[in-house]
Amino acid sequence: MSCVTNEIHFMNESGSVEILNSPFQQTAPSGFRTLIRYVAAIRKRIVMLLLCVAMCCSIGLLYFLLSPRVYEARAEVLIGTVTRDDRLLVSEPVMVDAVRRLKRADVTQFEGIPEQEQAEYLRSRLVVRKPGGRPDILQLRYRCDDPRVASESLNAIVESFMAYMGFEERVSADGSVKDGVASELLAK
């Protein structure tokens, strides 16, 4: 008695022997057969695949929950033609005055930091950049773990810079230029 099967044996490019069991597999194009093999391999290993995805998602969630929050305050300062040197903004007199202003405003970010290192601490959290093609604008970013402290610190630095450059008496509390100062600034 002979047994007839619908199996076809053939050797693929890598030299291994494959068995095609169905008439559909026998007539399918080779690219589609490859796709069918990939789907079959995934179906065999679905549990391992799902475990890997769940583990990666768990690690990402754990990182998100355990990483410290960092807040960033941003500002742009128009320095105009007064100075093109962005190092003035992070100079020692500006930073020391900013520390003084922050202490006066009761911003508590210097706990445990010696007084002589507080200006450097403030400077280390500040990033100053000049946007491309605009040498008269400085972009400032201050990073901190408290949003209020980040905002207050950046405001204190900008106010200290303005006072250092002599702008404080020319600008009113709402940020507008006082009368007669605009023409003086344009003349410079």
Side-chain angles (χ1 to χ4, degrees):
M1 182 187 269
S2 73
C3 180
V4 178
T5 63
N6 287 336
E7 293 181 350
I8 297 177
H9 299 269
F10 73 94
M11 189 173 293
N12 62 15
E13 295 87 20
S14 64
S16 61
V17 176
E18 292 187 28
I19 301 172
L20 299 177
N21 294 325
S22 71
F24 175 73
Q25 285 181 329
Q26 295 169 11
T27 60
S30 65
F32 194 67
R33 278 184 281 174
T34 304
L35 179 64
I36 291 172
R37 283 190 304 217
Y38 285 135
V39 170
I42 289 173
R43 287 181 66 198
K44 285 181 186 177
R45 295 166 184 88
I46 191 73
V47 173
M48 182 62 79
L49 180 67
L50 291 177
L51 284 175
C52 289
V53 169
M55 188 171 60
C56 289
C57 289
S58 299
I59 290 171
L61 180 65
L62 190 64
Y63 174 77
F64 174 74
L65 294 175
L66 296 179
S67 64
R69 302 289 175 256
V70 177
Y71 299 94
E72 184 174 274
R74 295 177 182 215
E76 288 188 350
V77 177
L78 177 65
I79 57 174
T81 59
V82 176
T83 180
R84 300 270 190 221
D85 193 2
D86 58 336
R87 291 177 294 175
L88 282 177
L89 189 75
V90 293
S91 65
E92 194 67 24
V94 172
M95 290 293 127
V96 168
D97 186 49
V99 168
R100 183 185 52 75
R101 289 171 188 263
L102 287 170
K103 286 181 180 178
R104 196 172 50 207
D106 199 32
V107 176
T108 58
Q109 67 173 326
F110 301 117
E111 294 172 357
I113 299 173
E115 191 154 335
Q116 63 271 18
E117 296 177 14
Q118 291 174 356
E120 184 59 36
Y121 174 81
L122 200 62
R123 186 180 297 115
S124 70
R125 293 175 171 255
L126 179 68
V127 176
V128 180
R129 286 186 41 225
K130 287 185 179 181
R134 296 295 309 262
D136 58 339
I137 292 180
L138 295 177
Q139 291 178 338
L140 311 175
R141 291 188 342 225
Y142 189 86
R143 299 180 72 153
C144 189
D145 57 355
D146 183 0
R148 181 182 153 274
V149 171
S151 175
E152 293 283 338
S153 299
L154 189 58
N155 287 339
I157 292 169
V158 170
E159 289 169 4
S160 297
F161 176 69
M162 289 175 59
Y164 183 74
M165 297 304 293
F167 289 131
E168 195 169 65
E169 65 274 358
R170 300 176 186 177
V171 179
S172 62
D174 66 352
S176 61
V177 178
K178 292 182 180 176
D179 292 334
V181 177
S183 59
E184 180 186 330
L185 288 175
L186 289 174
K188 284 189 175 185

